[in-house]
Amino acid sequence: MNMVTTFAHLSECENARQVLDSHGIAYEAIEAAPQYARVGTAALRTSAEGQAALAMDPGISDSGWVDFRAPAQPVPQGATDEFEEDVFGDAAIMVLAPCVADLSRIRLIAHLSGNLAEALPYLNAEMPQGFFNANVPALTFMDGHRMVVLYRDRVTVAKADELVDAWRTLDSVRCLANSVWARRRSIEPSYVMRRKPPAIEIYKRLPGTNCQVCGERTCLAFAMRVWVAESTPSSCKPVFSGDYAHLKPALLEICAGLGVLPSEERTGERA
Amino acid sequence: MWKTAAHSFMVPDSNENSVYADNNATSPLAPEVWEEMRAWFGAAFHNASALYGPARNAARAIGHAREQVAALLGLKDSRVVVFTSGATESNNAALFGAARGNPARRHVLTTSVEHPSVLGPCAELEREGYAVTYLPVDSNGALDPARLQDALRPDTLLVSIMHANNETGILFPVGDLARLVKKFDARILTHSDATQSVGKLPIRFGEDLDHVDFLSMSAHKFHGPKGSGALLIREGAPWRPFMLGGHQEEGRRGGTYNVPGIAGLGRACELASQYLDTHEQTSRLRDEVQAYITGHIPGVWVNGANSPRLPNTLSVSFEGIEGEGLVHQLSAAAVYISTGSACTSGSTEPSHVLRAMGVPEPFIHGSVRISFSRYTTPEEVGRLCVALAVVVEKLRRLSPKRRGVQGTPDVLPITLHAGSKGNNV
């Protein structure tokens, strides 16, 4: 039982359980309820055989499959947090897949019954470390190493550890959006556009020698690590204390918005 | 024969009812190409650069393949063909080779919708201090020649513009654009990544594209083998080799000749010439799918519908669903299509190509690419249409989004896995 899937709707999950029962295939249901009931149905953990049985059945629409990983934390027993005005609504996970860059982590796309369009400028004001594109509109921010993007009526989460971790992320986004919305009269909405620099822009400001001092095999790999907030620019010793010091101001500038710089680095070059 | 755990991954897709419509990603090897290649994997394994008899046969096979490539592309002299490991190497060789051949010039012009194997080298050149201009496209995916003209500089080294876009199939008038560039300054080099159009459209390197200096192509996009391609280098174009090693390819590309791959590329080119008239049939099938989708499924946006396109490609966006969800559900019905671009670095940002074209927000996340080949049958197209309609409707029903697409019927009068009906499409 090393595979796990989830569903956009409870009915699909029930159908899938019936199919597995009828084939006599073992599975374990992992419930999002009680705490995460607003952002997930249930997940089914089963074998490759179970996955094949569901894939063969044209009546079943699962959201996708990832390798099972034991959750670091169980789903909390408490009831869901509720809000007087609910701009987020319920989330349905439409796509579940392994991360492209890191197959041990997962990503998902959820659709919302609510609408965040009016709340996004308030969320942008409250999250200066985020990246906001008012044209879409979309707000991108990091939750630890997880990358979250909020759209009008959809949310994407990338690099979550496993499904319970992803539910927790989604539910914290739900609570954040609703609590910011509840406080909106005391917040000046912000339409300031902030753009996350592409990883290639970080790469362009590295020595390009693939010296591996940072622990990565190539400068490009290191740029990707910095981009997803898993490393800091100062791990590049040739730039910070070596022959490539001339690249330092440009590197710090491009990384300023990534939320990866310790405070003393963010102020710029001190030397 | 296979005794390792890898065996389980080597079982071919046994579902004979599967529909493969992702030919812009890669295409099935033509049986004739495989026949051509087999011999060079077996007893005729020799190094084409060696001096004994069997090796000379391999060298002759390479010469023959060079003529086959030349014949497909209308080249008077097959020596402009340099065999490579595929279009990624060809694009790298064109850009870096041109840069090293003209060290005084420090500016590169390209488009914002190029393949990563052009954008990657451009970013690397930027890192080395080159200026790179990325020209935008309009909502039809077209490039404004006036913007190209305005962006040219006295120190422009190279203009690289793809012939056909991999996601939308939209064609750029590369011949006209290259002429414009040469008129500005004949010493500016011109490159076109023709990976998606060679073998799918009649192309004459020396005629339609008579001002193009470098052209990249890849065998596996038109029923040849993976790992085999070519870069066409116009005689006399200032250029330095990218892959340095032995004296193969007259010193233009080092490395032992990939005899099976080169022979396969040559045969694939010959077949493409023979089957050039099937493009009309492929284009008819594509138009039928487009008509079915726009006629039967509400909330549809066809990308590049009003632009000159590859005959085999349909890029379409469905309002309110996820392209990736659609690909996943169709896969369960043994229908294989693509979202068009792999999402990068764990992000789930939509395609840079469709973003550049300004596809509206409710549609862009529901974008997929359908790409046929000369092996695609009307029967397969019928099954694809039915499956698409059913899955799109189901995904919309499962989504909790409030602003449902107007006019989506609750149940479509068709079922998944239904047989083909000619009048369905």
Side-chain angles (χ1 to χ4, degrees):
Chain A
M1 299 218 292
N2 57 356
M3 302 295 293
V4 67
T5 187
T6 192
F7 305 88
H9 199 274
L10 200 60
S11 61
E12 297 301 309
C13 185
E14 291 304 321
N15 290 343
R17 294 176 75 147
Q18 279 177 23
V19 168
L20 292 174
D21 284 336
S22 72
H23 284 81
I25 296 171
Y27 65 89
E28 176 194 352
I30 305 162
E31 297 291 341
Q35 181 104 80
Y36 303 145
R38 301 287 301 275
V39 296
T41 57
L44 295 185
R45 175 189 177 192
T46 184
S47 54
E49 189 192 7
Q51 183 188 4
L54 293 178
M56 293 288 286
D57 196 311
I60 305 293
S61 295
D62 61 69
S63 299
W65 292 82
V66 292
D67 291 344
F68 174 77
R69 272 180 77 187
Q73 306 284 338
V75 174
Q77 284 307 306
T80 56
D81 293 323
E82 295 299 336
F83 298 84
E84 207 163 299
E85 273 188 89
D86 190 345
V87 286
F88 189 93
D90 294 327
I93 296 174
M94 306 301 295
V95 172
L96 173 70
C99 275
V100 175
D102 180 354
L103 293 176
S104 69
R105 293 221 169 102
I106 66 169
R107 67 195 166 87
L108 59 84
I109 305 173
H111 284 188
L112 308 179
S113 65
N115 191 319
L116 299 175
E118 287 184 55
L120 284 174
Y122 295 96
L123 282 157
N124 184 36
E126 291 287 284
M127 308 187 75
Q129 77 279 23
F131 304 95
F132 186 59
N133 184 339
N135 297 331
V136 177
L139 178 66
T140 304
F141 58 92
M142 306 299 294
D143 172 8
H145 55 261
R146 302 157 201 86
M147 191 168 95
V148 180
V149 190
L150 301 184
Y151 297 82
R152 251 186 290 257
D153 51 11
R154 64 198 285 278
V155 176
T156 68
V157 177
K159 299 187 74 90
D161 296 329
E162 27 71 25
L163 197 50
V164 174
D165 181 59
W167 286 337
R168 184 204 58 73
T169 305
L170 276 176
D171 202 57
S172 72
V173 169
R174 184 182 72 87
C175 294
L176 173 75
N178 282 329
S179 65
V180 165
W181 184 247
R183 291 189 285 112
R184 68 187 177 281
R185 282 179 190 87
S186 60
I187 301 169
E188 182 72 26
S190 165
Y191 299 86
V192 173
M193 305 268 281
R194 285 185 303 271
R195 200 174 79 90
K196 184 172 187 173
I200 203 77
E201 293 298 324
I202 302 170
Y203 171 65
K204 281 184 214 159
R205 290 158 177 80
L206 296 173
T209 51
N210 301 331
C211 71
Q212 306 189 355
V213 170
C214 61
E216 299 298 329
R217 293 182 58 178
T218 63
C219 290
L220 190 58
F222 176 68
M224 295 303 304
R225 288 269 181 223
V226 173
W227 191 70
V228 298
E230 289 183 348
S231 188
T232 65
S234 58
S235 301
C236 181
K237 298 300 175 206
V239 165
F240 274 76
S241 52
D243 296 341
Y244 290 86
H246 62 282
L247 293 171
K248 188 172 163 184
L251 183 61
L252 286 173
E253 188 191 344
I254 199 74
C255 294
L258 288 173
V260 295
L261 302 181
S263 54
E264 74 272 19
E265 286 179 18
R266 215 174 291 152
T267 57
E269 203 171 24
R270 288 169 298 156
Chain B
M1 176 178 181
W2 303 100
K3 287 181 180 161
T4 64
H7 183 203
S8 60
F9 296 106
M10 293 179 172
V11 179
D13 183 357
S14 57
N15 187 347
E16 57 189 33
N17 288 319
S18 69
V19 178
Y20 183 72
D22 194 16
N23 287 277
N24 284 12
T26 194
S27 61
L29 198 70
E32 299 93 330
V33 172
W34 174 230
E35 274 311 307
E36 186 71 40
M37 293 175 69
R38 275 165 62 112
W40 306 106
F41 279 118
F45 61 89
H46 306 87
N47 190 322
S49 301
L51 299 176
Y52 32 80
R56 300 323 303 149
N57 287 339
R60 271 192 289 277
I62 290 169
H64 181 56
R66 216 181 291 280
E67 294 298 331
Q68 287 168 314
V69 176
L72 175 67
L73 298 171
L75 308 173
K76 291 181 199 78
D77 183 354
S78 68
R79 282 189 314 166
V80 304
V81 178
V82 174
F83 292 116
T84 67
S85 65
T88 292
E89 182 192 325
S90 296
N91 288 339
N92 274 265
L95 272 79
F96 290 123
R100 293 192 190 135
N102 305 265
R105 292 178 173 243
R106 304 289 286 176
H107 174 238
V108 174
L109 253 169
T110 187
T111 78
S112 56
V113 296
E114 295 296 313
H115 189 267
S117 56
V118 168
L119 295 177
C122 283
E124 181 66 18
L125 287 171
E126 274 192 271
R127 212 190 58 79
E128 290 174 13
Y130 283 78
V132 180
T133 306
Y134 301 90
L135 295 166
V137 296
D138 65 18
S139 59
N140 291 317
L143 198 66
D144 180 358
R147 291 191 81 143
L148 170 61
Q149 175 91 44
D150 291 346
L152 292 167
R153 307 193 334 199
D155 70 334
T156 299
L157 157 77
L158 175 79
V159 177
S160 177
I161 297 174
M162 68 196 332
H163 192 213
N165 182 264
N166 48 306
E167 286 187 42
T168 60
I170 292 173
L171 297 166
F172 286 114
V174 170
D176 295 341
L177 298 172
R179 185 176 306 113
L180 183 155
V181 170
K182 293 290 186 182
K183 205 174 155 192
F184 177 86
D185 177 353
R187 287 188 306 167
I188 298 177
L189 295 168
T190 52
H191 167 244
S192 185
D193 173 8
T195 307
Q196 290 293 349
S197 55
V198 170
K200 295 178 188 166
L201 281 179
I203 295 177
R204 314 304 278 180
F205 181 65
E207 296 165 24
D208 316 336
L209 306 183
D210 59 353
H211 295 286
V212 174
D213 295 307
F214 306 99
L215 191 90
S216 302
M217 60 182 284
S218 178
H220 76 100
K221 304 292 190 190
F222 58 105
H223 312 297
K226 293 161 188 61
S228 179
L231 175 65
L232 275 51
I233 306 174
R234 182 177 300 285
E235 181 94 54
W239 175 85
R240 297 289 305 152
F242 174 69
M243 293 278 265
L244 302 171
H247 56 265
Q248 293 91 350
E249 301 286 350
E250 300 181 14
R252 294 173 297 179
R253 198 271 190 184
T256 301
Y257 285 108
N258 171 11
V259 184
I262 291 169
L265 169 61
R267 188 77 173 100
C269 285
E270 188 177 304
L271 289 168
S273 313
Q274 288 168 14
Y275 287 107
L276 267 184
D277 56 349
T278 62
H279 298 316
E280 279 176 34
Q281 184 205 325
T282 308
S283 150
R284 211 159 39 238
L285 291 176
R286 188 271 313 274
D287 293 344
E288 283 173 4
V289 177
Q290 183 173 323
Y292 179 91
I293 290 174
T294 52
H296 289 75
I297 306 176
V300 174
W301 182 282
V302 178
N303 301 303
N306 302 317
S307 310
R309 277 181 291 173
L310 286 174
N312 77 322
T313 307
L314 175 62
S315 169
V316 61
S317 303
F318 297 96
E319 184 178 7
I321 64 169
E322 299 300 326
E324 206 179 331
L326 183 52
V327 169
H328 176 66
Q329 297 301 332
L330 285 176
S331 169
V335 172
Y336 307 125
I337 65 169
S338 157
T339 52
S341 70
C343 86
T344 51
S345 343
S347 84
T348 41
E349 278 295 298
S351 133
H352 72 292
V353 175
L354 299 180
R355 271 262 187 266
M357 286 170 63
V359 176
E361 172 66 14
F363 288 86
I364 196 165
H365 305 289
S367 303
V368 292
R369 178 186 69 189
I370 297 163
S371 49
F372 296 139
S373 79
R374 65 172 181 261
Y375 294 110
T376 307
T377 65
E379 196 260 334
E380 289 174 322
V381 165
R383 269 185 285 142
L384 177 131
C385 286
V386 171
L388 255 181
V390 171
V391 172
V392 168
E393 195 273 331
K394 179 156 195 189
L395 286 172
R396 282 179 176 163
R397 199 153 36 78
L398 287 174
S399 169
K401 285 189 179 189
R402 270 197 203 134
R403 295 163 301 124
V405 177
Q406 293 301 308
T408 306
D410 286 333
V411 182
L412 285 170
I414 38 180
T415 53
L416 206 55
H417 297 311
S420 113
K421 293 186 180 61
N423 57 3
N424 242 353
V425 290

